[in-house]
Amino acid sequence: DVKVTQSSRYLVKRTGEKVFLECVQDMDHENMFWYRQDPGLGLRLIYFSYDVKMKEKGDIPEGYSVSREKKERFSLILESASTNQTSMYLCATRASNTEAFFGQGTRLTVV
Amino acid sequence: QKEVEQNSGPLSVPEGAIASLNCTYSDRGSQSFFWYRQYSGKSPELIMSIYSNGDKEDGRFTAQLNKASQYVSLLIRDSQPSDSATYLCAVPPLGNFNKFYFGSGTKLNVKP
């Protein structure tokens, strides 16, 4: 069975903190994605990775960075959290030309 | 123009009716199309994929694809209150099929 696991379901952080969101997949998929989802704005792509150590910016990369040191793990880093980064963060994985599978989501609140 | 567009709704239908959800996309070369369902507070889950023009049926769900008109639709027959959710359309563009763009979703309410 397909499994995409995000490290936290709920997270509360303070403004200015460095925040790490972790995503692990067990499907050996090449592609991994980080999205954020906000009411009325849908799913917006932050970054994606198509191979180990490879990454591409999505539509809203500002304020975020990513790391993919191993094929199964893709990390999203908020260098200095701000209140406008309060959101639901979704990790997804995908083999080429197939559907995407999602983790359970991390609801991040920055206070 | 957004890559994938959907009517945000909400779309309200009575229980037992057919719900029709539509999606248009901008990349004429796109080859694969996906419908996801997302319950409130949960992550999206795949319900249908379609790759060829025409209809594809799976239980109460039918996906319809028209590449010439660049739209894909989802029909839900015999709608149930448990179908109440937001439905997301996803279309990877041909030029960069590693990306995976989603529409903003259509909220469906099925009234008992």
Side-chain angles (χ1 to χ4, degrees), chain B residues 1-79:
Chain B
Q1 183 189 2
K2 290 184 179 179
E3 289 81 6
V4 182
E5 299 213 43
Q6 295 180 254
N7 188 323
S8 61
L11 173 66
S12 291
V13 300
E15 185 175 355
I18 296 175
S20 178
L21 306 162
N22 298 309
C23 170
T24 59
Y25 59 94
S26 60
D27 190 328
R28 188 171 286 279
S30 292
Q31 299 293 311
S32 52
F33 308 85
F34 306 92
W35 281 101
Y36 286 79
R37 177 177 61 201
Q38 186 176 26
Y39 292 114
S40 181
K42 302 291 187 183
S43 58
E45 56 178 337
L46 181 75
I47 51 173
M48 289 287 285
S49 58
I50 186 166
Y51 302 91
S52 306
N53 270 335
D55 295 1
K56 179 182 177 183
E57 189 173 314
D58 184 0
R60 296 186 296 111
F61 298 95
T62 299
Q64 299 175 317
L65 175 61
N66 184 322
K67 288 186 178 181
S69 300
Q70 293 177 245
Y71 82 79
V72 55
S73 60
L74 180 71
L75 301 179
I76 306 174
R77 290 183 300 281
D78 189 23
S79 295

Side-chain angles (χ1 to χ4, degrees), chain A residues 7-14 17-22 76 78 85-87 89 105-111:
Chain A
S7 52
S8 303
R9 187 74 178 91
Y10 298 96
L11 211 52
V12 180
K13 295 292 181 180
R14 295 195 178 278
E17 275 194 81
K18 191 169 186 176
V19 181
F20 294 86
L21 302 182
E22 304 280 333
L76 180 69
L78 286 66
Q85 293 178 308
T86 291
S87 187
Y89 289 87
T106 296
R107 187 164 292 282
L108 172 68
T109 302
V110 182
V111 297

Side-chain angles (χ1 to χ4, degrees), chain A residues 9 31 33 35 37 41-43 45 48 50 56-57 59 88 90 94 96-104, chain B residues 3 31-32 34 36 38 41-46 49 51 88 92 96-105:
Chain A
R9 187 74 178 91
N31 307 299
F33 306 82
Y35 294 88
Q37 188 173 32
L41 297 177
L43 279 161
L45 181 63
F48 71 98
Y50 50 92
E56 271 195 44
K57 293 179 180 179
D59 298 318
M88 169 72 91
L90 290 160
R94 178 172 184 246
S96 293
N97 210 32
T98 65
E99 67 267 31
F101 297 90
F102 285 86
Q104 77 275 31
Chain B
E3 289 81 6
Q31 299 293 311
S32 52
F34 306 92
Y36 286 79
Q38 186 176 26
K42 302 291 187 183
S43 58
E45 56 178 337
L46 181 75
S49 58
Y51 302 91
L88 301 165
N96 189 346
F97 53 78
N98 285 326
K99 282 193 174 183
F100 208 68
Y101 285 113
F102 286 84
S104 54

